[in-house]
Amino acid sequence: MALEIKLDDRVAKVELLAEDGNHVKIIVDDREYDLDMQQVENGVYSVMYKGRSFNVELIEKGNPKKYTVNTFYHSYDAEIIDAETKYLQTRNAGNLEAAESTISSPMPGKVVKIPVELGSEVKKGDTVIIISAMKMESEYKAMKDGVVKEIFVKEDDTIDGNQPLVFID
Amino acid sequence: MALEIKLDDRVAKVELLAEDGNHVKIIVDDREYDLDMQQVENGVYSVMYKGRSFNVELIEKGNPKKYTVNTFYHSYDAEIIDAETKYLQTRNAGNLEAAESTISSPMPGKVVKIPVELGSEVKKGDTVIIISAMKMESEYKAMKDGVVKEIFVKEDDTIDGNQPLVFID
Amino acid sequence: MITKISKVLVANRGEIALRVMRSCRELGIKSVAVYSDVDRTSMHVRYADQAFHIGPAASAESYLNIEKIIEVAKKSKADAIHPGYGFLSENAEFSKRCQQEGIIFIGPTPEVISTMGDKITARQTMIDGGVPVVPGTKENLDDDETALKVIRKIGLPVMIKASAGGGGKGMRMVDKEENILSALRAAKSEARSAFGDDSVYVEKYISSPHHIEFQILGDQHGNVIHLCERECSVQRRHQKVVEETPSPLLTPELREKMGEAAVAAAKAVNYYGAGTIEFLADNDHNFYFLEMNTRLQVEHPITERTTGYDLVKQQILIAEGQKLNIKQEEVFQFGHAIECRIYAEDTDNNFMPSPGLITHITEPMGLGVRTDGYVYEGYEIPIHYDPMISKLIIWARTREEAIERMRRALYEYKITGVKTSIKFLERIMDCRDFRDGNYDTHFIQNNEEFLLANDEAKQQFEDLAIVTAFLDYHHKLKNAQVSQEISKSSRWKDFGRRRGVYRASEN
Amino acid sequence: MITKISKVLVANRGEIALRVMRSCRELGIKSVAVYSDVDRTSMHVRYADQAFHIGPAASAESYLNIEKIIEVAKKSKADAIHPGYGFLSENAEFSKRCQQEGIIFIGPTPEVISTMGDKITARQTMIDGGVPVVPGTKENLDDDETALKVIRKIGLPVMIKASAGGGGKGMRMVDKEENILSALRAAKSEARSAFGDDSVYVEKYISSPHHIEFQILGDQHGNVIHLCERECSVQRRHQKVVEETPSPLLTPELREKMGEAAVAAAKAVNYYGAGTIEFLADNDHNFYFLEMNTRLQVEHPITERTTGYDLVKQQILIAEGQKLNIKQEEVFQFGHAIECRIYAEDTDNNFMPSPGLITHITEPMGLGVRTDGYVYEGYEIPIHYDPMISKLIIWARTREEAIERMRRALYEYKITGVKTSIKFLERIMDCRDFRDGNYDTHFIQNNEEFLLANDEAKQQFEDLAIVTAFLDYHHKLKNAQVSQEISKSSRWKDFGRRRGVYRASEN
C-alpha cells in the first residue's frame, strides 16, 4: 500500500513494503525504516526503531483521514491523501478564499455577543463575534472587508470547534 | 423489556418500565426503582438512587450474557436468562454430571505436569494435572473415581481459564 | 462548644471538590455533592456518598445558587458546607445564610469575609493592626485633582486598582505623569463594568515584586499560627502558574518577620479557619500586605507536603470548634515542594481554552509525586468552568531535585484529546531564571521568547508521526473490511465477536 | 575514583523497572529496557529510552539469561546495570560477569553476594562481627545423631532451615521431640529439590516473632549508615503483604541498638550499596540477625517517604564511587508510612493468581498517596511472572491518620478485569490487631476468620448489580440493531460514524 500523507506543511510519500505482525518495513519519501509498531492503548502506539523506544499518540479529528499526532514533545496535524481526498481537493481548489470569508472558532464554546447583523458592512479587523469558553472570552475579527451575508448562530448558542459562525462576502 | 437475571444463586425477574435518557424506572422482583444510570467509562456505571451515588463496574465474561458485576465492596456473577439461554439450559440439564467429570482451572496458566495418562484409573482426590501461573503451582484433583478418558492438553501448553483439561469417566 | 460534623456538603466541583471529599472520607464524614446539568458524569458526583442536581450549566444558576444549595443541604441533612475555592467561597451572604440555617460554614464569619473582601477596608484594617502595606491611599480616588496630588506624593510608578477587584481587572500601572488621568479613567470604567463599582485606590508600584503568601490557621479560641510561605511569582495575566515552597527569596529571618506579620493580620480581624495572607516583597526584603484570601488556595498542597498537615482536616476541626492542635514552634518545612497547574489550553495559540473529550490519560507516579485532578478517560471537559484539569505537586529534599522530579513527572504526564499546558510547564522547569530561583512576577513576560520557542527537534520526529498515522489508517481500512464480513453473520454471533474485533483492532 | 554513569540497563520488568528508570531520568541518565516475548507491550519497554528483546517468556531464557543481558548492555553502550529485585539481583555470577566486562553492577561485589547468599556463612560472619543471631547451629546438620544432640541443646521449639533457602522453602518448625527426625528429612528433601542443595541448619524458634528490617547504605569508602527500620510482620506464607515504618514495636532506644547492629552487620562484610538487614525481634525487645538482602527491597518506598532519600539515586551515586552524602545524625523519620502490595489474586479462592486483561483502572490520588505500578488499561498481565501489580504507599503525620488514609486510598483504587487483593488489604486496615499495632508474623493466620469473612452487606447491593447488568445488556441489544443498520452503508461512511457509534454505546 502507498499513500501520501500531509504533515503540517509537508507532503510525504509513504509506502508499506512489508508487514509481519508488529514488524513493519516502510518508506517515507526516500528513507526506509524497519520498525516494531504496536498499538498498546486506545490511540497510543509504542514504536521501536533501532533499539530506541518511542510513544506516539493519535487523535482522530472527526474524520478517519485526519489526525492530531503527538510524539513526546511535539504535536502535528496529519491528513491521509488518497484518491478521494485528491478529488475533493481539486473540487475545492477554488474555495481557498471561502476560508477567509467564513469566521469560525477553533475551540468549542458559547456565543456571548454578535456585534454585527445581516447586511452589516465590516472592515478587516472588525470584531464580528465573541465566544466564551472556560471563563475566557475571545473576539473573532473579519479577515477581509465585506458584507455580513450569513450568521449561522445566535447569542447564547453553544458551538463546536471549527463550525462556521459568520460568513462575510 | 423483561428478563430474568441470575445473580450468584438468586434468579430475579427484571422489567424495564420506562427509560428516558439516563432516567430509568425498573422493577426487580417486586421492588420498583427510579434510577439515574449513566455509563461514564468503559464498563463503569454511575448510578444515582434517592440522592445516593453508586459506582458499578461490569466485566463481560467472554459472552454477552455473562458478567462479573462489582459494586464498591462486592463482586457478583450475573447471567442474562432469555429464551435462548433457557433452551440451552434445558438441553444441558443432563450434563450436570459432565462438570464433575471435566477437570479445568479457573485461571489461565501453563501445564507443568500431567501425572496421569489415557486409560489411567484414578480415585477421587488424586492429582490429575498441575498448572502454574505467576510463580504459583496449583494441583487439580479428580472429583470422582474413574478412568482418564481424554487429555486435552500436554505439558508446557499455555491454557486459558476454564478450558477443559482432563476428562474422567 | 464542639459540634461534631458528620456530613459535609461540598458546594463546588472539579479537583477541589474531590480533594475535600477525600479528607472527609478519611475522617469518617459523609460527603454530599451538588452538580449542574453538564456535571452529571463529573468525578465529584461519582466520588461522593450522595449527589444532588442543582440547576443548569451556568454557574449563576447552579454553583452560585445559594438558595438551591441550602435546600440540598437541608434535604440531605448535611451539618456543614465546604465551599472549596472560587464560586461561593468568599461570599459573605452565603456564610450568613448558613449561619441562619444552623449549618456550619467551613470558613470564616460573614463579617470577616466582608472586611477582607473590600480591599480598601482590608487595607485600613491592616494599617490599624500594624501590618505593613504598600504606600498609597486608603480611600476611593474620586476626582482628578485629588488623584494627581496623591499620586505625586507617593511618587511614580504607581498602581491604580479597583476596590472590588480581583483577577487583574480594573488595574492600571502608571509610570509617566501625563498618563495618570487616562489610566484613572480606564481603571474606573473597567471596574464599573466588571464589578458594578468604580471605586479605585492607588498604591506604590513595586518594580521587581515577588508574590509571596503565608498560610495561616486560626481557631475559634483566638489561636493563630502560620504554616510558612508559598512563592507564587510565576504568573501569567495575574493567574498563578507554578508555586513553590520554601521561596528562593526568603531567609529564615525574613520568614519569621513575614510570618509574624501574617499572624498579626489574621488576628486583626479575629480570623478563624484556614486563610492566606498575600504579600508583595521586593529584592531588598521589604514586604507589604496585598490581600487576604479567606478560603483554601488552589496551591495549598505544597504547604501540606512540606509541613505534613492536611489543611482540609484542619478546616473541619476548626469549624467544629476544636482548639488548634498545632503549636507554632512545632511547625517546620521538610524539603521542597513545587506545584504546576495543568490547564486545558493551547499554549501555542495564545493560551486559548481547549475543552473537549479526554481520550487517554497517563498519570505520573513514584516518589514525591502527587496529582490532584478530576478528569478521566471518556470524560468531556465542559466549556462552562475553569480550564484547570489538575495540579501536579512534587516534593524532594532539595529544590534542585524537586525541579528534576517535576520535569520527569511532566514528561510522564500524558493527557490526550485536549491541548494542555504541560509542554509550557516543562519549558518553565528548563528556564535558567527559574532554575536559579531568580525570578519575580515578571518572569513569564521576561522569558516569553524562551518559553514559547518552537523546538528545532520537531522535524526529527516528523517521519515517526507520518509512519504512525499511516499504519493506523492502514489498520482501519483492514478492520473496515473485517467489520463488513462480520455484519453479515447473525446478531447473536455479533455479540460474541464484537469484543474480539475491538481487541484485534487494538493490536 | 568516580565514574559518572550515563546510561543504565535495567535488568528487570514490572514496577521496579519503571521505578529505577524514573530516578535515572531525574538524574539525566538514559535507561535501557530488556524484554521477553510476552513483554513487548509492558510499561517498562514503553518508558525506557531504548529497549531490546532478550528471549522467550520463561525467565530462565530471558530475565535470567546473563549472556543475553550482557550482550545488550554492550550493544547499547550502557555503562551500568541495575538488577532491581528478584531475577539476577542477588546472583554473584552476574555481578562478577559485569565486573569482567567493565560494566558497573549497581549492587555489591560478587564476594559479598556469595557470603550473604549462603545462610550458614552469613550467620558465621555475623557472629564474628558481634551481631546477635538466633541461637542455633552454624553448620550443616549432616547426621541424625548430631541433629538430635544439637536441637536438644538449643531447646524446642526450633526451626530447621535450608542454607540456600528463601521464600519459605525448605523450612520446618519442630515443637515435639518425636518429630525432629521426620522434619529434618522433609526439610532436606525440599531443599534439595528447590535449590539443588540439601544443607540445612537449625535455629531457636521465636514464638511471637516480629520481622523487622533495617535499610542500610554503604559507600565504597567504608562509610555505612542506616535509614531506620521497616516492620514487615504482616505476611502470608512468608510473603510480605503490608509493611510500615516506624514499627509499632520499636522504642527510640531499641531503634538505636538495632540500627547499630545493622551497621555492624554491613561493615562485617565491607558492604557497599543499598542493603537490608532483616531481624527477628520478640515482644521483650530481643532481636536476632535473620538474613541480609543485598539489593533494593520491594518495600523500600516507605523508607524513602519518611526519610526523604531516593534510594535508587543513592545506589547510583554509590556505584559511581561517590562518598555517601548523608550522615547518620542527619537521618530522621518524618511521620508514618505504610505500603500495601496489590496482587492479581483471588483472595476469596485460596489466593489463586489472577492474570488477565486490565479493562479499567482508577488510581487513588491526593495528599500522602504514592502508587508504584506498571499496568495500564488494555494491558494483559502475563502468566509467567510475579502477580504483584502495584504498591500503594501512604504517608501521614501519625500512624492512625496513615491507616485512615490507606483505607481511603484502597477505596478509591479500582482495577477491573482481574481479581486483586485490594478488598483483603482493606480488611487488614479494619482489623483490630493491626489498628492497635499489636501484631507479629502470625497476624494473618490469627485473624484469618475476620480477614476472609463474607460481608453481610453484600445482599444489600444485589439489586444494584442486577439492574446494572440488565441495563447494559439492554443497551447492547439496541446497539446491535443500530450496528446492523450502519453496516449497510458504505465503507467510507462507516469510518466517520464508527467513532460515534462506539461513543453512543458508552452512554
Side-chain angles (χ1 to χ4, degrees):
Chain A
M1 190 167 109
L3 282 175
E4 283 182 353
I5 292 186
K6 188 162 180 286
L7 193 82
D8 295 342
D9 296 328
R10 170 180 168 196
V11 176
K13 281 190 186 145
V14 191
E15 190 181 349
L16 183 65
L17 298 180
E19 185 180 9
D20 175 17
N22 312 322
H23 292 275
V24 164
K25 198 188 274 268
I26 201 166
I27 294 186
V28 180
D29 286 335
D30 44 10
R31 297 176 73 163
E32 189 177 320
Y33 295 94
D34 270 301
L35 302 168
D36 173 347
M37 299 193 67
Q38 184 129 7
Q39 184 165 356
V40 285
E41 294 180 73
N42 184 16
V44 181
Y45 281 81
S46 163
V47 183
M48 219 76 91
Y49 173 57
K50 292 190 176 169
R52 289 184 67 190
S53 173
F54 300 98
N55 295 270
V56 185
E57 299 175 324
L58 295 179
I59 310 157
E60 236 183 61
K61 293 202 300 184
N63 172 326
K65 294 184 196 165
K66 287 187 177 178
Y67 294 101
T68 296
V69 188
N70 296 323
T71 59
F72 252 121
Y73 288 112
H74 310 286
S75 188
Y76 308 86
D77 288 318
E79 187 179 355
I80 310 291
I81 303 176
D82 57 8
E84 196 191 39
T85 318
K86 279 192 178 161
Y87 170 72
L88 290 172
Q89 277 179 340
T90 325
R91 221 179 48 176
N92 289 337
N95 285 3
L96 250 176
E97 210 187 326
E100 236 182 39
S101 304
T102 309
I103 308 296
S104 68
S105 148
M107 66 183 185
K110 200 170 172 178
V111 180
V112 177
K113 206 171 155 61
I114 306 176
V116 295
E117 51 193 48
L118 275 183
S120 298
E121 275 190 34
V122 291
K123 287 218 150 45
K124 186 175 171 177
D126 284 359
T127 296
V128 294
I129 190 164
I130 302 174
I131 304 297
S132 131
M134 296 177 146
K135 294 163 65 181
M136 178 168 153
E137 290 185 3
S138 306
E139 301 189 353
Y140 292 87
K141 295 171 198 302
M143 284 175 286
K144 61 175 195 183
D145 297 356
V147 172
V148 175
K149 285 285 173 64
E150 204 139 10
I151 301 180
F152 302 96
V153 291
K154 53 187 196 302
E155 290 179 8
D156 280 342
D157 274 5
T158 299
I159 58 156
D160 288 331
N162 300 312
Q163 87 171 63
L165 303 172
V166 177
F167 180 70
I168 295 167
D169 206 21
Chain B
M1 191 166 108
L3 281 175
E4 283 181 354
I5 291 187
K6 185 161 181 287
L7 193 82
D8 296 341
D9 296 329
R10 170 180 167 197
V11 176
K13 281 191 187 148
V14 190
E15 189 181 352
L16 182 64
L17 298 179
E19 183 180 10
D20 175 16
N22 311 322
H23 292 274
V24 164
K25 198 189 273 269
I26 201 165
I27 293 186
V28 179
D29 287 335
D30 44 10
R31 296 177 72 164
E32 188 177 320
Y33 295 96
D34 270 302
L35 302 168
D36 174 346
M37 297 193 68
Q38 184 129 4
Q39 185 166 356
V40 285
E41 294 180 73
N42 184 15
V44 181
Y45 281 80
S46 164
V47 184
M48 219 77 92
Y49 173 57
K50 290 191 176 168
R52 289 183 67 188
S53 173
F54 299 98
N55 295 269
V56 185
E57 299 175 325
L58 295 180
I59 310 158
E60 235 183 60
K61 292 202 299 183
N63 172 326
K65 295 183 196 166
K66 287 188 176 176
Y67 294 100
T68 297
V69 188
N70 297 323
T71 60
F72 252 119
Y73 288 112
H74 311 286
S75 188
Y76 308 86
D77 288 316
E79 185 179 357
I80 309 292
I81 302 176
D82 56 9
E84 197 191 37
T85 318
K86 280 194 177 158
Y87 169 71
L88 289 173
Q89 277 179 340
T90 324
R91 223 181 45 175
N92 289 336
N95 286 0
L96 251 176
E97 210 186 323
E100 236 181 40
S101 304
T102 308
I103 308 295
S104 68
S105 148
M107 67 182 182
K110 201 171 172 176
V111 179
V112 176
K113 207 173 156 59
I114 307 177
V116 296
E117 50 193 48
L118 274 182
S120 299
E121 274 189 34
V122 292
K123 289 217 149 48
K124 185 174 173 179
D126 285 357
T127 296
V128 293
I129 190 164
I130 302 175
I131 304 296
S132 132
M134 297 177 145
K135 295 163 65 182
M136 178 168 155
E137 290 184 4
S138 306
E139 301 188 354
Y140 291 88
K141 295 171 198 304
M143 284 175 287
K144 61 175 193 183
D145 297 356
V147 172
V148 175
K149 284 287 173 63
E150 204 140 9
I151 301 179
F152 302 96
V153 290
K154 53 186 195 304
E155 291 180 6
D156 279 342
D157 274 6
T158 299
I159 58 156
D160 288 332
N162 300 313
Q163 86 172 61
L165 302 173
V166 177
F167 180 70
I168 294 166
D169 206 24
Chain C
M1 203 193 68
I2 288 167
T3 320
K4 275 279 177 196
I5 293 174
S6 63
K7 191 185 275 187
V8 170
L9 183 150
V10 182
N12 215 303
R13 66 180 300 284
E15 69 87 18
I16 192 61
L18 277 169
R19 192 261 162 275
V20 171
M21 290 176 193
R22 289 196 167 101
S23 288
C24 289
R25 184 168 289 277
E26 290 177 20
L27 289 171
I29 293 173
K30 296 267 180 223
S31 55
V32 181
V34 291
Y35 61 97
S36 74
D37 282 353
V38 295
D39 271 345
R40 167 64 183 85
T41 58
S42 204
M43 203 53 160
H44 72 288
V45 177
R46 297 171 54 193
Y47 193 91
D49 295 296
Q50 291 181 269
F52 295 90
H53 176 251
I54 49 164
S59 306
E61 299 173 66
S62 48
Y63 298 108
L64 292 172
N65 185 337
I66 295 180
E67 287 317 311
K68 193 77 201 177
I69 289 169
I70 294 284
E71 188 190 300
V72 170
K74 288 160 85 172
K75 181 162 72 182
S76 64
K77 300 197 171 58
D79 37 30
I81 294 182
H82 195 298
Y85 53 70
F87 294 130
L88 294 171
S89 61
E90 293 182 291
N91 185 309
E93 189 198 333
F94 185 53
S95 169
K96 186 158 204 88
R97 279 282 285 140
C98 289
Q99 234 175 35
Q100 287 163 350
E101 299 288 348
I103 299 165
I104 296 173
F105 177 78
I106 301 177
T109 59
E111 295 72 30
V112 168
I113 298 177
S114 292
T115 305
M116 289 316 217
D118 180 80
K119 305 234 161 154
I120 294 179
T121 316
R123 194 179 148 82
Q124 187 56 50
T125 311
M126 290 305 116
I127 294 169
D128 299 344
V131 180
V133 300
V134 179
T137 57
K138 304 152 213 172
E139 284 131 33
N140 182 15
L141 289 182
D142 249 350
D143 62 292
D144 291 358
E145 214 162 305
T146 324
L148 283 171
K149 210 177 73 188
V150 164
I151 290 174
R152 276 185 202 127
K153 198 178 145 207
I154 296 171
L156 288 172
V158 299
M159 203 72 166
I160 301 173
K161 293 183 171 183
S163 297
K169 281 194 177 123
M171 271 170 75
R172 281 292 182 286
M173 198 270 270
V174 195
D175 56 2
K176 290 203 185 74
E177 177 95 18
E178 63 263 35
N179 296 337
I180 293 178
L181 291 180
S182 64
L184 183 69
R185 258 171 243 127
K188 275 186 172 290
S189 134
E190 216 171 286
R192 196 181 310 115
S193 76
F195 316 109
D197 173 1
D198 73 352
S199 308
V200 297
Y201 62 103
V202 66
E203 274 179 0
K204 174 91 187 150
Y205 176 74
I206 312 294
S207 64
S208 296
H210 295 256
H211 179 124
I212 293 172
E213 59 186 31
F214 272 70
Q215 177 68 50
I216 64 105
L217 287 176
D219 65 19
Q220 300 186 32
H221 311 275
N223 303 302
V224 181
I225 60 160
H226 72 85
L227 298 179
C228 306
E229 80 281 8
R230 292 183 289 259
E231 165 69 74
C232 307
S233 298
V234 180
Q235 301 187 350
R236 215 191 121 261
R237 296 194 185 154
H238 303 278
Q239 287 288 338
K240 295 164 191 164
V241 177
V242 176
E243 302 96 352
E244 64 176 316
T245 187
S247 164
L249 182 76
L250 260 58
T251 57
E253 297 71 38
L254 183 55
R255 179 170 300 114
E256 201 183 324
K257 261 172 71 180
M258 290 178 77
E260 278 167 14
V263 169
K267 285 191 167 167
V269 286
N270 298 316
Y271 193 83
Y272 66 78
T276 296
I277 314 289
E278 297 192 338
F279 293 107
L280 274 189
D282 64 22
N283 287 332
D284 302 324
H285 289 191
N286 299 307
F287 63 92
Y288 311 100
F289 172 83
L290 191 63
E291 64 177 54
M292 176 169 195
N293 295 317
T294 56
R295 52 162 168 90
L296 210 60
Q297 302 276 92
V298 175
E299 59 273 20
H300 75 277
I302 58 175
T303 298
E304 295 188 319
R305 191 51 168 94
T306 46
T307 65
Y309 298 105
D310 182 325
L311 291 179
V312 171
K313 287 186 188 168
Q314 292 294 331
Q315 286 186 302
I316 291 172
L317 296 179
I318 292 167
E320 286 182 336
Q322 315 256 16
K323 275 199 179 154
L324 263 187
N325 55 9
I326 312 168
K327 300 214 177 323
Q328 187 66 59
E329 57 271 24
E330 294 164 6
V331 174
F332 70 99
Q333 294 179 290
F334 182 42
H336 196 95
I338 307 178
E339 174 183 278
C340 279
R341 302 189 186 189
I342 316 288
Y343 288 105
E345 63 187 12
D346 185 353
T347 53
D348 287 336
N349 195 3
N350 199 26
F351 295 84
M352 187 170 294
S354 176
L357 181 74
I358 303 283
T359 53
H360 185 254
I361 305 180
T362 305
E363 241 124 26
M365 292 200 274
L367 178 58
V369 176
R370 167 181 176 186
T371 41
D372 268 40
Y374 79 106
V375 302
Y376 57 87
E377 290 184 12
Y379 178 69
E380 184 146 4
I381 306 178
I383 59 169
H384 308 86
Y385 312 109
D386 199 87
M388 198 174 74
I389 300 176
S390 73
K391 306 182 301 200
L392 179 55
I393 301 108
I394 295 296
W395 179 92
R397 283 188 72 90
T398 64
R399 183 171 191 272
E400 200 190 339
E401 191 181 15
I403 293 174
E404 291 309 322
R405 189 162 286 159
M406 181 62 88
R407 290 179 75 233
R408 185 269 287 177
L410 288 167
Y411 170 85
E412 281 178 32
Y413 207 164
K414 299 289 151 204
I415 301 172
T416 313
V418 301
K419 307 250 180 202
T420 73
S421 56
I422 291 176
K423 198 177 59 177
F424 183 70
L425 293 162
E426 285 181 313
R427 298 292 285 174
I428 292 177
M429 294 302 125
D430 284 341
C431 190
R432 169 63 71 100
D433 282 352
F434 183 80
R435 297 180 78 86
D436 291 348
N438 175 25
Y439 65 89
D440 57 37
T441 55
H442 305 310
F443 167 74
I444 287 187
Q445 207 175 306
N446 291 347
N447 290 281
E448 205 155 32
E449 206 175 323
F450 177 86
L451 296 173
L452 295 174
N454 225 323
D455 193 338
E456 60 286 351
K458 188 169 176 181
Q459 238 180 318
Q460 255 187 262
F461 296 102
E462 274 186 15
D463 282 10
L464 182 65
I466 289 168
V467 164
T468 314
F470 176 92
L471 213 77
D472 192 75
Y473 183 73
H474 174 61
H475 288 159
K476 273 196 298 204
L477 278 185
K478 282 210 295 197
N479 286 329
Q481 284 159 347
V482 173
S483 172
Q484 276 194 316
E485 311 274 308
I486 283 175
S487 64
K488 287 174 197 152
S489 63
S490 89
R491 202 170 79 191
W492 291 112
K493 280 195 192 155
D494 229 31
F495 264 7
R497 290 196 196 161
R498 183 181 303 263
R499 193 177 169 78
V501 174
Y502 281 28
R503 271 215 246 164
S505 75
E506 282 166 17
N507 281 318
Chain D
M1 203 193 68
I2 288 167
T3 319
K4 275 279 176 194
I5 292 174
S6 63
K7 190 185 275 186
V8 171
L9 183 150
V10 182
N12 216 305
R13 66 180 301 285
E15 69 87 18
I16 190 61
L18 277 169
R19 191 261 163 275
V20 171
M21 290 177 193
R22 290 196 165 100
S23 287
C24 289
R25 184 168 288 277
E26 290 177 20
L27 290 170
I29 293 174
K30 296 268 180 224
S31 56
V32 181
V34 290
Y35 62 95
S36 74
D37 282 353
V38 295
D39 270 346
R40 169 62 184 88
T41 59
S42 204
M43 203 53 159
H44 73 289
V45 176
R46 298 171 54 191
Y47 192 89
D49 295 297
Q50 291 182 268
F52 294 90
H53 176 251
I54 48 162
S59 306
E61 298 173 67
S62 49
Y63 298 108
L64 292 173
N65 185 336
I66 295 181
E67 287 317 310
K68 193 78 199 175
I69 290 169
I70 294 284
E71 188 190 302
V72 170
K74 288 159 84 172
K75 180 160 73 179
S76 64
K77 299 196 170 60
D79 38 29
I81 294 182
H82 195 299
Y85 53 68
F87 294 131
L88 294 171
S89 62
E90 292 181 293
N91 185 309
E93 190 199 333
F94 185 53
S95 170
K96 186 156 204 86
R97 280 282 284 141
C98 290
Q99 236 177 32
Q100 287 162 350
E101 299 288 350
I103 299 164
I104 296 172
F105 177 78
I106 301 176
T109 59
E111 294 74 30
V112 168
I113 297 177
S114 294
T115 304
M116 290 316 217
D118 180 81
K119 305 237 161 153
I120 295 180
T121 316
R123 194 178 148 83
Q124 187 56 51
T125 311
M126 290 305 115
I127 294 170
D128 298 345
V131 179
V133 300
V134 177
T137 59
K138 304 151 213 172
E139 284 132 34
N140 182 16
L141 289 181
D142 250 348
D143 61 292
D144 291 0
E145 213 161 304
T146 323
L148 283 170
K149 210 176 74 188
V150 165
I151 290 175
R152 277 184 199 127
K153 197 177 147 208
I154 296 171
L156 289 172
V158 297
M159 202 71 166
I160 300 172
K161 292 185 172 185
S163 296
K169 282 195 176 121
M171 272 170 75
R172 282 291 182 286
M173 199 269 267
V174 195
D175 55 1
K176 289 202 186 74
E177 177 96 14
E178 63 264 35
N179 295 338
I180 294 179
L181 291 181
S182 63
L184 181 70
R185 259 170 243 126
K188 275 186 173 287
S189 136
E190 215 171 290
R192 196 181 311 114
S193 76
F195 315 110
D197 174 0
D198 73 352
S199 308
V200 297
Y201 61 103
V202 65
E203 273 179 1
K204 174 93 188 148
Y205 176 74
I206 313 294
S207 64
S208 296
H210 295 258
H211 178 123
I212 293 174
E213 59 186 31
F214 272 70
Q215 177 68 51
I216 64 103
L217 287 177
D219 64 19
Q220 300 186 30
H221 310 277
N223 303 303
V224 182
I225 60 160
H226 73 84
L227 298 179
C228 306
E229 81 281 7
R230 293 183 288 260
E231 166 68 75
C232 307
S233 300
V234 180
Q235 301 187 353
R236 216 192 120 260
R237 296 194 185 154
H238 302 279
Q239 287 289 337
K240 295 164 191 164
V241 176
V242 176
E243 302 97 353
E244 63 175 316
T245 186
S247 163
L249 182 76
L250 260 58
T251 57
E253 296 71 36
L254 183 56
R255 179 170 300 113
E256 205 184 322
K257 259 173 71 180
M258 291 179 77
E260 277 167 15
V263 169
K267 284 190 168 168
V269 287
N270 298 315
Y271 193 84
Y272 67 78
T276 296
I277 315 289
E278 296 191 338
F279 292 107
L280 274 189
D282 64 21
N283 286 333
D284 301 324
H285 288 192
N286 299 307
F287 64 93
Y288 311 99
F289 172 84
L290 190 63
E291 64 178 53
M292 175 168 196
N293 295 318
T294 57
R295 52 161 169 90
L296 208 62
Q297 302 276 92
V298 175
E299 59 272 22
H300 75 277
I302 57 174
T303 298
E304 296 188 320
R305 191 52 167 93
T306 47
T307 64
Y309 298 104
D310 183 323
L311 291 179
V312 172
K313 287 186 189 169
Q314 291 295 330
Q315 287 186 300
I316 292 172
L317 296 178
I318 291 166
E320 285 181 338
Q322 315 256 16
K323 276 197 180 156
L324 264 187
N325 55 10
I326 312 168
K327 300 212 178 324
Q328 188 67 60
E329 57 271 23
E330 293 165 7
V331 175
F332 70 100
Q333 295 178 290
F334 182 43
H336 196 95
I338 307 177
E339 174 183 279
C340 279
R341 302 189 184 188
I342 316 289
Y343 288 105
E345 62 185 14
D346 185 354
T347 52
D348 287 337
N349 194 3
N350 199 26
F351 296 84
M352 186 170 293
S354 175
L357 182 74
I358 303 282
T359 53
H360 185 255
I361 305 180
T362 304
E363 239 123 28
M365 292 201 273
L367 177 57
V369 178
R370 166 182 177 187
T371 41
D372 267 40
Y374 80 105
V375 302
Y376 55 86
E377 290 183 13
Y379 178 69
E380 184 146 3
I381 306 179
I383 59 168
H384 308 86
Y385 312 109
D386 199 88
M388 197 175 73
I389 301 177
S390 73
K391 305 182 304 199
L392 178 56
I393 302 108
I394 294 297
W395 179 92
R397 284 189 70 92
T398 64
R399 183 171 190 271
E400 198 190 341
E401 191 180 14
I403 293 174
E404 291 310 322
R405 190 163 286 158
M406 181 62 88
R407 292 180 74 235
R408 186 269 288 176
L410 287 167
Y411 171 83
E412 281 178 31
Y413 207 165
K414 299 288 151 205
I415 301 173
T416 314
V418 301
K419 307 251 181 200
T420 73
S421 56
I422 290 176
K423 199 178 58 178
F424 182 70
L425 294 162
E426 285 181 313
R427 297 291 284 175
I428 292 178
M429 293 303 125
D430 284 343
C431 189
R432 169 63 71 102
D433 281 352
F434 183 81
R435 297 181 79 87
D436 290 348
N438 175 27
Y439 65 90
D440 56 38
T441 55
H442 304 310
F443 167 73
I444 288 187
Q445 206 176 307
N446 290 346
N447 290 281
E448 205 154 30
E449 205 175 325
F450 177 85
L451 296 173
L452 294 174
N454 225 325
D455 192 339
E456 60 287 349
K458 189 169 175 178
Q459 238 181 320
Q460 253 187 265
F461 296 102
E462 274 187 15
D463 281 10
L464 182 64
I466 288 169
V467 164
T468 314
F470 177 91
L471 212 76
D472 192 74
Y473 183 73
H474 175 60
H475 288 159
K476 274 197 296 203
L477 278 186
K478 282 209 295 195
N479 286 328
Q481 285 158 346
V482 173
S483 172
Q484 277 194 315
E485 311 274 308
I486 284 176
S487 64
K488 288 175 198 153
S489 64
S490 88
R491 202 169 80 191
W492 292 111
K493 278 193 194 156
D494 228 31
F495 265 8
R497 289 194 197 163
R498 182 182 304 261
R499 191 173 173 81
V501 174
Y502 281 28
R503 270 215 248 164
S505 75
E506 282 165 18
N507 281 317

